[in-house]
Amino acid sequence: MTGVQTCALPIWLRRDKEGNAIQSKWRPTDLRFGEIVWQANTGRINFTIGEEKPFIPNYIHPFIPPVGRRTTPFPKNKKELTLAATWRLIHDNHTVLIYCPEKRSVNSFAKDIIDLNKRGAISSVLSVPLQQLDLAIVLGNEWLGDGHPIVECLKIGVAVHHGALPTPFRKEMEKLLREGILKVTVSSPTLAQGLNLSATVVIFYSLYRFHPDSGKRKKIESSEFKNVIGRAGRAFVDTHGLVLYPIFEKYNQNLTQWHNLVEDTNTRNMESGLALLVSSLALRMSQSIGSSEIEGLLEYVLNNTQAWVFPDVANETTEQIEVQKNAWDKHIVSLDTALLSMLGEEDVSIADIPSALDAILQSSLWQRRLNRQNEELKVLFNSVLAQRAKHIWNLTTTRQRKGYFLAGVGLDTGQRLDAISNQANVLLVNANGYISANEQQLAISTIIQLAELVFDIAPFTPRNLPDDWKEILAVWLRGEILTEHEFNDINEALMFIEKGLIYRLPWGLEAIRVRAQANEDVIGDDSTIDDYEVGLVVPAIENGTLNRSAALLMQAGFNSRKAAIHAVNSTNANFTTGVQLKAWLNSVEVFDLAIGLDWPTPETSNLWWEFIKEYEPNTETTWKSTQSVISVAWIDAYNPIAGRLVKLHNIEEGKTQILGSDGELVGAANYRYKLLKGGVYFSIIHDNTSYLDVTYWGAGGSPFDYHT
């Protein structure tokens, strides 16, 4: 290669006026920029940082991977530059979080990491025995299949994480991250914004995300950027954190975009989510009527019965209309949910809605933001809010609104639930009955019918609904191993299970149940939903088995679905309560099987013993009360009064002290009592004021042991 190519890692380090990093008051940092420049003609990648530009020559050495037939140097593109920088930072004793705004980038990283490791371009960063990862690897193989890139990455010390991973495997991986066992994490927004994870370095692989609604890539919001950079620097460990952005091509353009995003973080104005919703809806309405005058828009909102129907705007393309309608529908649902959460349980008349909203929103962020606007705009925003609430009230009863509120849905979703309620209520009752009677095929077919109804209603519709989703659901409910079936796309099937079955379908079924309760629907012969057992379907769907005992075992924390079903079936167990589960776990039969170290399966024996250790409490957890009367000597200046509350207190040595309600020393017991920390002492002066009546509430131990 000839000429000069540049690739850079601008570095952002920030300290506010108080010396605190954004979102983390224990990580002081400075605002500086730096870059890693690759000079292809010399084969050097040099590292510069800060205003004074300290220079580190040859920070990364490009080289031809030693294994295989590759002839291009590593790194050869942006992704490889990110990985080269990561491994160099690991060499400098950093831990690294690579942040990807899109899940597809995360999966792509997993494949490339394994490939580069096999080629000798990057080495393992695992610093603990592989046995410490056994449980995660077992669960990964069970759920994702042997040899899956994400599982293989674990074996070299890399966590590849996104929200569509199966929950049991994801939880075990997150446990390893919390314990600091894995040094590199490749993450989607699910991890970076949810799990309490930090690293000494955060690398942004991209600043953009593809939006299917618009078909375009858009830059991430500054709020998301702020959230992620808060992960840079380990609390109480690091004095600073690094935030890096790799640029492989279009250097000036990408660097400008990076600088703009950094500068956006300087604005800390908080905005009311409710105000943003109303503003978005009002903007669409104003575009529809072709006027931005507040008076005309107010007239449109107050006197147009069709104001809440998606407004047409002139000269929009079919694609633009589809994007805008999706956005409108989402905003309406969010606004309805907010209104129902504020007023849904209250028996407010339509005429009282404006005053009720004013009272509820007093001193809220909504109110504070509106107070900064002119009077006309304040009237408009309050009117939009009140008119939407009145619209809901005009179309619903008090019971319906309560049902929508409890189900966490808006008007449109609530009305669609009302429309299917007669059929859905019967199916829900029947599905539970079939599970209870162990009628597996009838239970599966009934749950599929329920899913057809639920998936047709937003927001319960899965984002990906595979063509073979009914087969996936049937296999899942039968407790079979997913990777042993020939689905159209196993990764799509796993995503559907995680997002569609474990999340959206149970949400929809719970919405059906609480709506039926709120409306006191009659099912069968004058019965209501409360007269039936309806608590079996959701655990079956969430855990992937119609076996009630296996589902309960998984709910208790045993994460291998395959092994849980085998454990229950091999012992013919039939427990349906926590007490029965505990008795089964403590049974001689289960103990004799477990000590063979190949049960429930050879690969999950360690997982079983870990579960037993965590499931069994270290001490008795049921509290009980113990009473005693103890003698006490008061100080001369104190006048004890029968019935007055006092407190027992031990200092480093000497007898147990008696403190008054103001914390002052008023006396001492005749002995030093061993005060237990796991409970509560209630001490009151006895009728004979030379004594105290003491009651202890706590678990185990002798609360009145003492030594002189």
Side-chain angles (χ1 to χ4, degrees):
M1 287 185 294
T2 60
V4 177
Q5 297 177 338
T6 63
C7 54
L9 288 172
I11 297 178
W12 182 43
L13 308 173
R14 177 179 175 80
R15 189 203 313 258
D16 65 17
K17 293 180 180 179
E18 290 76 30
N20 301 326
I22 287 179
Q23 300 184 358
S24 178
K25 62 185 179 182
W26 46 74
R27 298 186 209 139
T29 56
D30 295 316
L31 178 59
R32 288 185 283 172
F33 292 94
E35 57 186 29
I36 291 179
V37 180
W38 175 16
Q39 295 181 310
N41 57 341
T42 62
R44 296 187 303 177
I45 300 180
N46 301 325
F47 186 22
T48 62
I49 181 173
E51 296 177 0
E52 299 178 0
K53 299 290 184 183
F55 182 74
I56 306 175
N58 300 319
Y59 186 71
I60 297 174
H61 296 270
F63 62 93
I64 304 295
V67 181
R69 298 182 178 181
R70 174 167 162 172
T71 58
T72 54
F74 169 81
K76 68 176 182 179
N77 55 31
K78 179 179 179 179
K79 185 181 296 180
E80 290 194 359
L81 173 63
T82 301
L83 293 174
T86 296
W87 258 252
R88 181 64 175 85
L89 289 161
I90 293 296
H91 179 74
D92 291 342
N93 295 318
H94 286 285
T95 56
V96 180
L97 168 61
I98 301 173
Y99 181 71
C100 302
E102 296 184 297
K103 180 177 71 67
R104 60 180 177 174
S105 298
V106 174
N107 287 327
S108 176
F109 261 106
K111 295 176 182 177
D112 284 6
I113 288 171
I114 296 304
D115 178 68
L116 290 169
N117 176 250
K118 290 178 179 178
R119 294 178 184 275
I122 57 177
S123 59
S124 171
V125 293
L126 186 64
S127 58
V128 299
L130 188 61
Q131 288 78 5
Q132 287 188 235
L133 279 66
D134 277 352
L135 302 185
I137 292 171
V138 166
L139 292 173
N141 289 337
E142 175 182 330
W143 286 94
L144 302 175
D146 293 340
H148 194 283
I150 290 179
V151 181
E152 294 303 303
C153 280
L154 272 183
K155 296 177 183 178
I156 62 171
V158 179
V160 179
H161 186 291
H162 57 73
L165 291 175
T167 299
F169 172 64
R170 191 177 71 246
K171 286 183 176 179
E172 189 60 34
M173 184 193 296
E174 290 168 358
K175 178 182 176 183
L176 295 173
L177 288 170
R178 287 192 296 269
E179 293 172 352
I181 290 175
L182 305 174
K183 296 182 181 298
V184 178
T185 307
V186 184
S187 155
S188 73
T190 304
L191 176 64
Q193 295 180 11
L195 182 68
N196 183 20
L197 170 73
S198 61
T200 62
V201 181
V202 171
I203 300 180
F204 277 80
Y205 172 62
S206 174
L207 304 180
Y208 286 83
R209 178 182 296 114
F210 178 77
H211 290 257
D213 290 343
S214 63
K216 298 178 181 178
R217 295 172 73 244
K218 295 182 181 179
K219 191 160 65 172
I220 62 176
E221 298 290 336
S222 60
S223 58
E224 179 178 342
F225 183 69
K226 285 182 182 180
N227 195 317
V228 177
I229 64 174
R231 310 288 174 171
R234 297 165 298 180
F236 307 110
V237 177
D238 300 314
T239 59
H240 67 274
L242 302 180
V243 182
L244 314 178
Y245 176 51
I247 302 174
F248 191 79
E249 55 189 0
K250 299 179 181 178
Y251 176 78
N252 291 330
Q253 176 184 332
N254 284 302
L255 189 60
T256 298
Q257 293 168 345
W258 169 252
H259 284 175
N260 291 339
L261 189 57
V262 169
E263 290 168 3
D264 283 345
T265 63
N266 294 330
T267 59
R268 295 196 180 189
N269 288 337
M270 294 184 65
E271 187 56 270
S272 163
L274 195 55
L276 289 174
L277 285 174
V278 172
S279 176
S280 299
L281 296 171
L283 176 61
R284 181 70 188 184
M285 293 176 185
S286 70
Q287 292 171 339
S288 177
I289 64 176
S291 172
S292 59
E293 293 184 2
I294 292 179
E295 184 178 348
L297 186 54
L298 189 59
E299 175 73 17
Y300 179 84
V301 171
L302 294 176
N303 299 315
N304 184 2
T305 57
Q306 298 299 308
W308 305 108
V309 177
F310 174 64
D312 292 327
V313 172
N315 302 320
E316 282 190 330
T317 65
T318 302
E319 182 181 289
Q320 288 172 328
I321 291 172
E322 183 180 354
V323 171
Q324 292 300 323
K325 187 176 187 310
N326 287 336
W328 175 272
D329 291 341
K330 289 178 182 177
H331 293 330
I332 289 290
V333 169
S334 298
L335 182 59
D336 288 355
T337 305
L339 288 167
L340 289 166
S341 68
M342 290 187 286
L343 301 174
E345 285 196 305
E346 305 294 331
D347 190 14
V348 179
S349 67
I350 292 179
D352 291 335
I353 284 175
S355 58
L357 287 171
D358 282 343
I360 291 169
L361 293 170
Q362 200 63 237
S363 301
S364 66
L365 184 56
W366 157 275
Q367 193 68 48
R368 296 199 300 274
R369 296 299 288 168
L370 284 193
N371 287 340
R372 300 181 186 180
Q373 309 300 327
N374 61 52
E375 194 61 32
E376 282 186 326
L377 199 61
K378 288 169 63 176
V379 170
L380 174 64
F381 272 46
N382 283 320
S383 296
V384 170
L385 201 63
Q387 287 301 112
R388 182 60 189 179
K390 289 180 180 179
H391 178 72
I392 297 172
W393 259 242
N394 277 321
L395 296 176
T396 58
T397 65
T398 301
R399 283 184 177 179
Q400 285 177 313
R401 292 192 294 273
K402 182 179 180 182
Y404 301 166
F405 165 70
L406 294 174
V409 299
L411 176 63
D412 182 66
T413 300
Q415 289 180 318
R416 298 190 68 181
L417 287 172
D418 291 339
I420 67 167
S421 60
N422 290 337
Q423 182 183 4
N425 290 344
V426 172
L427 288 172
L428 183 60
V429 168
N430 288 345
N432 279 273
Y434 293 141
I435 293 174
S436 182
N438 200 28
E439 297 280 356
Q440 281 207 8
Q441 193 50 49
L442 287 172
I444 291 171
S445 63
T446 305
I447 292 172
I448 289 175
Q449 292 179 67
L450 272 169
E452 287 181 300
L453 292 176
V454 168
F455 287 161
D456 194 43
I457 301 175
F460 312 126
T461 307
R463 292 182 179 177
N464 73 308
L465 192 62
D467 294 335
D468 54 350
W469 73 265
K470 294 180 183 178
E471 180 188 353
I472 297 171
L473 176 53
V475 168
W476 175 250
L477 290 173
R478 287 197 296 267
E480 297 171 5
I481 304 304
L482 299 167
T483 52
E484 294 178 357
H485 287 264
E486 299 267 339
F487 297 124
N488 294 342
D489 185 328
I490 184 60
N491 290 321
E492 189 178 54
L494 289 171
M495 186 184 301
F496 168 67
I497 287 170
E498 188 66 25
K499 298 298 185 181
L501 300 186
I502 295 177
Y503 172 48
R504 295 190 185 272
L505 184 53
W507 179 17
L509 296 181
E510 281 297 286
I512 290 170
R513 181 184 66 80
V514 298
R515 195 219 67 86
Q517 284 182 319
N519 287 272
E520 300 180 7
D521 289 349
V522 175
I523 306 170
D525 299 328
D526 297 327
S527 300
T528 66
I529 198 82
D530 291 329
D531 296 321
Y532 296 95
E533 168 62 77
V534 290
L536 305 180
V537 171
V538 168
I541 294 171
E542 289 179 334
N543 295 288
T545 177
L546 295 171
N547 186 312
R548 297 174 65 183
S549 300
L552 185 58
L553 179 57
M554 284 182 274
Q555 286 179 304
F558 187 59
N559 288 326
S560 172
R561 174 170 165 268
K562 173 183 176 181
I565 294 171
H566 178 74
V568 167
N569 289 338
S570 65
T571 58
N572 294 316
N574 186 27
F575 48 82
T576 58
T577 67
V579 173
Q580 293 171 344
L581 167 62
K582 187 173 182 179
W584 176 74
L585 291 174
N586 291 330
S587 67
V588 174
E589 179 185 15
V590 168
F591 178 78
D592 288 344
L593 288 168
I595 60 174
L597 301 182
D598 60 356
W599 188 86
T601 62
E603 62 272 16
T604 59
S605 175
N606 288 338
L607 179 63
W608 178 264
W609 286 107
E610 285 288 327
F611 163 68
I612 291 296
K613 182 172 66 176
E614 293 180 5
Y615 182 81
E616 288 293 332
N618 295 326
T619 59
E620 182 184 351
T621 56
T622 302
W623 279 24
K624 58 185 179 182
S625 64
T626 307
Q627 289 82 33
S628 182
V629 177
I630 66 174
S631 57
V632 59
W634 307 105
I635 63 175
D636 293 339
Y638 183 72
N639 179 30
I641 300 175
R644 178 172 290 177
L645 294 173
V646 292
K647 181 179 180 180
L648 304 180
H649 176 68
N650 280 338
I651 55 176
E652 291 184 1
E653 57 184 24
K655 298 177 180 179
T656 295
Q657 296 182 340
I658 312 298
L659 306 181
S661 58
D662 56 1
E664 293 295 322
L665 179 66
V666 296
N670 289 339
Y671 304 96
R672 180 180 178 86
Y673 290 88
K674 182 181 178 182
L675 301 178
L676 303 180
K677 296 182 179 180
V680 176
Y681 286 86
F682 180 83
S683 308
I684 190 171
I685 300 175
H686 193 276
D687 290 342
N688 181 341
T689 57
S690 296
Y691 298 91
L692 295 180
D693 287 323
V694 183
T695 303
Y696 170 81
W697 284 277
S702 300
F704 299 108
D705 284 351
Y706 63 88
H707 57 81
T708 56

